[in-house]
Structure formats: C-alpha cells, structure tokens
Amino acid sequence: MNSVAIIGAGITGLTAAWKLQQQGIPVTVYEAGDHAGGVIQSVRRHGYLAESGPNTILETAPEIPALIRDLGLEQRRMYSSPAAEKRYLVRNRKLIALPGSPLGFFGTSLFSANAKLRLLREPFIAPAPASQEENLAEFVQRRLGQEFLDYAINPFVAGVYAGDPNHLSVKHAFPKLYNLEQRYGSLIKGQVLGARERKRRAEVSKQNAKKFSFDEGLQVLPQAIRDQLGRDVLFNSPVTIIQQDASGWTVTTPNETRRHSGVIYTGPAYRLPQIEVRIERYINCAPLSQVHYPPVATLVLGFRREDVRHPLNGFGMLVPELEPFNILGALFSSTMFPNRAPRGHVLLTVYLGGTRAPHIANSDFDTQLNLALTDLRMLLGVNGAPTFVHHAVFRHAIPQYDVGYGRFKTLMDEIETNAPGLFLAGNYRDGISLGDSIVSGHKVAGRVREFIRGKGDLLEAVQTLAAV
Ligand SMILES: Cc1cc2nc3c(=O)[nH]c(=O)nc-3n(C[C@H](O)[C@H](O)[C@H](O)COP(=O)(O)OP(=O)(O)OC[C@H]3O[C@@H](n4cnc5c(N)ncnc54)[C@H](O)[C@@H]3O)c2cc1C
C-alpha cells in the first residue's frame, strides 16, 4: 500500500498521521516550514518559556487526554495553577474580575443594574428563525442586551478568535450557542438542560474544561508525535501539485513527486487554492482564498516582580473595544504555569491586532512594544523596562467563521465528495481551538481508514470475480 500523504505538520496533520500510523497505515507528512506544530511555537530562553502562538489546550473531548496518554506524555502535562482561575475584564480603565458564579454576577460592578435585569428576560425571548443567519453581535444584542455584548462578548471574541462579533456567524463560529437557542429556545435554559447531554457524550463545556500545557510548553506535543513518525515527516516540503489518477494520487513538492493512496490537506484554507489540484471531476477551490485570517502580533514580556503592581492573581485580562487601549488582552503566563519565569520575575503574553486592529499587527516591532508597554503601565501598574522580550507576528492567524461561512463548508464537502481520497481537516473546518484540531485530526484519520478499507474490499471483490 502507498502511504497516505498529509499536508501540514500542525497539530491536526500530526494527530491524523499518528492515528493512522497506530493502525498500521503508512503516512508521509509534508510540511512547508522547518518545524513541527504549525502555529504552536514554544521558546525557552534566559530562564523564560514563551509561547508565540497558543498557550493552553482545553480538555473538552475524550480524544485529547487519550492522545496524551497514548504518547506517554502524562508525566509532562501541566494543568494551569488554581491561582489562575480568575479572569479579568477591563471597564472604565480598570481590571474587574469576572464573576465566578450566578450569585457573583448580581454583585459584580462589571455590569449595570439594567444589564443584569435585562439578562433575566433572556429565557422569555423567542428564538430567531433557523433560516436567518445572524452575526454574533445581533444574536447577543437580541438575547442578552448591548452592555453584555460590549463588555463580555466583544472582549471574549477578541481573546478566542482575534475576531469581531459584527462579522462572526453565530451559527458557524459558535454552533453550540446557536443550537442551545434553536433546541431549548433560551441560552440559560439550554445551559441547565444541556449539561445532562454533554455528560452523556463525555464532553466538557469550555468554561468547565481543565486547561493544560507541558513542562516545556505546548511544543512538547507536536515534537513527541514528530519523534514517533521519524523520517515520515518531510520538512521544507511545500506541496505544489496534488494529482488524482486511475490508481490513486501523486503529490509534488519542489523536491520530488511521490505516489500515495490518499491525501489529507491540513494547511490553512486560503492556501489550498495556491496548490494545483488536478482531480478527475473538476471543482474550483479558488473561493477558499477568501476565508479571512486577520493578523495577530504576540509580545511575551518578562518583568521583575516588584515592577508590576497588580497581583496577577488570575488567567489574564481582556480589553473591550470600547475601552481606550490598543492591546486585545494579556495572559498572566507565569501565574498559570510558575515555571515560565525565573524566580522573582513574572511573564505576560500580550496580543495585538486581530480583526479589531489589523494595522497594529502589521506595524513595526517598536510601535507594538510601545503600545503594549503604555497599556500595561495603565492597566497593571507596570513600571521599569522588560527583562525579557519575545516577539512574533502571524500574518494570517486564525480563520474567521464569518456570516456566510456555510458556502465554504459546502465547498469543502463537495471537494471531498468529488475527489474520493482527498480529505480536508483542520481549524478552518472543524473549529479553531487546539482541542477541536486534535478531534479533527482524529476524525479525518477515521474517514481515511474507511476509505482505504473500502478500496481493499473492492479489490478483493474484483480479485474474486477474476478468479471466478
Ligand atoms: C496567536 C494564536 C494564539 C492561539 N491561542 C490558542 C490557545 O491558547 N488555545 C487554543 O486552543 N487555540 C489557540 N489558537 C488556535 C490554534 O492554535 C490553531 O487553530 C491550531 O493550532 C491549528 O492547527 P492546524 O494543524 O489546523 O493548523 P496550523 O497550525 O496552521 O498548521 C498547518 C501547517 O500546514 C503547513 N502548510 C501550509 N501549506 C502547506 C503546503 N502547501 N505544503 C505543506 N505544508 C503546508 C503550515 O506550514 C503549517 O505548519 C491560537 C492561534 C494563534 C495563531
């Protein structure tokens, strides 16, 4: 059997490769860059451990701990410290802790009395017709009110998607929220009643899921898979042509052409049209270049403990767009994982740009550092120069599941149907979190296995017929 080609050594591609290899199906992973993990990039320097890309994995599905266990990484997994439970939002230029319970919600100064009363009306608001595709801002205004949109959802969406609630589709970007309304008629009712179903599916809601990384950062996970795959991962191998023929597939890079029994594409959606896809029943992949990936800049900054006034007793802070600041938010990285900074120092991870301010992510390093330091001074009482700086820019960070994203999903389904043996998986299709990407890699490996098994059955049938 020829190996299955996997394009992209991000967490989706590597999970798929590992699962297939475990089932005795040979794989070849093609990676355009020179490292495993895609946007996962952990750097250990001068006693600090910086993450330019993602910081934590939420344990939302059983496939996630199963992968860690199967790779023998349980001893290296680190759950975030209980000291990092609190989450801060900025209102009136000050940090206010997000209430941790429904009772706390009624006492918080984060929302006005009117906003709290407005929330009580939520169970009585009729759901929108299923035929109407709303953006997240419309959905939240309708169900929860303007203040909740401005001071909870707007910063939350900046933190998760680096996105804008005015563009993101509630149906595609937040399908669980959408389904709660469609199914139970109310988010509050659905939250209570849906808990039983999640339990049955062994799923954990994002707000209750445990967060983890590893002793040397998230990079440990892709590196462990890469070590297991060995020479089956080809770096500096950007795929330029995928071709289907009567006996299977060929994949071409500037270095070589190899035969494969199937192909999984896990690179970003906007890059698929840059590959020449020659399939027997033509399908135009060009529209996928329109999937929007805003730029994000990350600044990981170390400070002497005494140079930061705030106790940093939490996960981090998010900044609503209405507040007069430039950063999207900051993680208190050394509170989450104390091994991220040397003794007597702290580490903050600051994000800039996104759909809210792409010009900032595209500005130069000095501008970004000045903006970040100005905001941190005001918000956290930071004074003194950073003792550590690590900077990264993702020109195309996270796919935005904007209103109308359904047309891209339909096209992805059509590509898989029209070209049996070509599979699409990753954060542009199955959800943007690392957990979603692991599940996506896991599931696509299952589809590939079925495809290969189906071909085996067909071959057996032909051989039997020939023998007859
Ligand atoms: C700044 C940032 C912070 C984030 N924070 C979090 C977080 O804290 N928690 C969380 O759960 N998620 C977070 N995310 C989201 C999450 O990290 C990603 O959605 C996930 O890692 C995507 O994995 P992937 O394998 O699907 O794609 P990628 O990681 O993008 O990997 C795709 C790979 O394909 C390769 N490739 C592309 N084209 C080709 C080609 N033609 N040939 C060969 N190879 C190719 C690329 O080089 C890349 O290595 C964050 C994302 C970013 C950018």
Side-chain angles (χ1 to χ4, degrees):
M1 190 206 313
N2 290 318
S3 66
V4 172
I6 294 161
I7 303 175
I11 196 61
T12 307
L14 290 172
T15 304
W18 160 256
K19 291 302 303 176
L20 288 169
Q21 200 203 44
Q22 288 295 294
Q23 288 151 9
I25 298 173
V27 293
T28 307
V29 182
Y30 294 91
E31 168 53 47
D34 60 5
H35 92 286
V39 297
I40 299 175
Q41 295 169 18
S42 322
V43 175
R44 170 72 80 185
R45 196 156 36 90
H46 307 317
Y48 290 94
L49 176 56
E51 295 279 13
S52 313
N55 268 262
T56 49
I57 304 181
L58 281 178
E59 219 168 68
T60 45
E63 290 87 346
I64 303 164
L67 178 71
I68 308 305
R69 185 197 58 224
D70 294 349
L71 287 163
L73 291 177
E74 282 173 327
Q75 298 300 321
R76 302 190 65 186
R77 175 176 50 196
M78 291 177 75
Y79 287 105
S80 77
S81 158
E85 286 302 305
K86 249 188 212 171
R87 289 159 183 269
Y88 287 97
L89 288 172
V90 174
R91 180 142 199 187
N92 298 329
R93 304 172 189 221
K94 295 215 162 41
L95 266 64
I96 302 178
L98 204 64
S101 66
L103 213 61
F105 173 79
F106 288 98
T108 181
S109 59
L110 196 54
F111 301 105
S112 69
N114 275 345
K116 292 173 192 170
L117 285 174
R118 173 70 176 75
L119 208 67
L120 293 179
R121 276 174 42 205
E122 196 277 337
F124 308 102
I125 293 171
S131 57
Q132 175 187 333
E133 188 176 350
E134 279 181 308
N135 66 42
L136 182 65
E138 289 164 342
F139 178 89
V140 174
Q141 266 162 343
R142 184 170 57 74
R143 297 216 66 85
L144 306 167
Q146 184 68 39
E147 205 174 315
F148 206 74
L149 170 65
D150 292 338
Y151 281 94
I153 300 302
N154 174 287
F156 164 74
V157 159
V160 175
Y161 269 88
D164 180 343
N166 290 299
H167 298 302
L168 288 167
S169 156
V170 67
K171 181 173 177 186
H172 295 292
F174 298 93
K176 287 188 182 147
L177 215 57
Y178 174 80
N179 288 331
L180 281 185
E181 181 185 64
Q182 290 300 318
R183 180 123 193 244
Y184 300 98
S186 146
L187 305 182
I188 294 176
K189 277 195 250 168
Q191 198 56 31
V192 177
L193 299 173
R196 238 174 283 150
E197 269 185 41
R198 272 199 302 275
K199 202 168 170 189
R200 206 176 52 238
R201 290 198 304 262
E203 257 179 37
V204 184
S205 73
K206 286 200 161 100
Q207 72 265 28
N208 292 329
K210 289 196 282 182
K211 294 183 281 295
F212 70 91
S213 179
F214 297 92
D215 51 0
E216 288 301 313
L218 286 175
Q219 192 73 52
V220 167
L221 177 57
Q223 191 56 44
I225 304 181
R226 186 251 177 271
D227 290 346
Q228 299 272 354
L229 297 172
R231 288 150 59 107
D232 293 329
V233 185
L234 308 174
F235 291 107
N236 303 307
S237 299
V239 169
T240 51
I241 305 171
I242 304 171
Q243 177 152 354
Q244 183 186 28
D245 59 36
S247 57
W249 294 85
T250 53
V251 163
T252 302
T253 68
N255 316 322
E256 59 182 332
T257 295
R258 291 193 190 196
R259 292 207 65 78
H260 295 286
S261 50
V263 179
I264 309 177
Y265 179 78
T266 73
Y270 74 92
R271 280 179 72 169
L272 181 61
Q274 295 166 19
I275 299 178
E276 206 178 314
V277 182
R278 300 179 189 156
I279 51 183
E280 286 171 1
R281 289 167 63 195
Y282 174 76
I283 191 153
N284 182 14
C285 303
L288 292 178
S289 63
Q290 294 158 21
V291 175
H292 178 218
Y293 286 69
V296 171
T298 312
L299 272 166
V300 190
L301 303 172
F303 295 96
R304 282 194 299 269
R305 184 66 196 90
E306 63 267 28
D307 287 345
V308 182
R309 205 171 49 236
H310 193 275
L312 304 180
N313 53 345
F315 176 76
M317 62 172 173
L318 287 168
V319 183
E321 195 168 359
L322 284 180
E323 293 288 320
F325 297 100
N326 288 293
I327 64 172
L328 298 174
L331 296 176
F332 305 160
S333 302
S334 55
T335 309
M336 257 192 280
F337 302 108
N339 73 339
R340 298 281 160 107
R343 190 181 286 275
H345 292 72
V346 293
L347 192 70
L348 302 172
T349 306
V350 182
Y351 297 102
L352 302 111
T355 308
R356 190 190 289 183
H359 60 285
I360 296 183
N362 290 327
S363 65
D364 59 51
F365 165 73
D366 288 336
T367 306
Q368 290 173 9
L369 183 62
N370 282 333
L371 291 175
L373 289 175
T374 307
D375 285 359
L376 294 180
R377 256 176 234 128
M378 294 268 294
L379 291 166
L380 300 178
V382 168
N383 53 60
T387 49
F388 172 84
V389 178
H390 179 73
H391 175 241
V393 178
F394 296 89
R395 297 278 165 222
H396 304 276
I398 296 174
Q400 303 294 300
Y401 289 29
D402 286 341
V403 170
Y405 204 79
R407 71 189 188 282
F408 299 128
K409 287 204 160 167
T410 305
L411 177 56
M412 293 169 206
D413 292 345
E414 283 169 5
I415 294 172
E416 279 201 5
T417 312
N418 269 23
L422 176 58
F423 298 88
L424 306 181
N427 65 356
Y428 61 86
R429 191 172 191 197
D430 298 320
I432 61 148
S433 73
L434 282 167
D436 295 335
S437 305
I438 290 172
V439 174
S440 176
H442 187 94
K443 287 196 172 147
V444 76
R447 300 205 294 281
V448 171
R449 197 184 52 232
E450 288 305 307
F451 169 74
I452 287 177
R453 192 178 290 161
K455 269 183 30 174
D457 290 348
L458 194 67
L459 190 68
E460 211 174 293
V462 170
Q463 281 166 348
T464 314
L465 269 178
V468 172

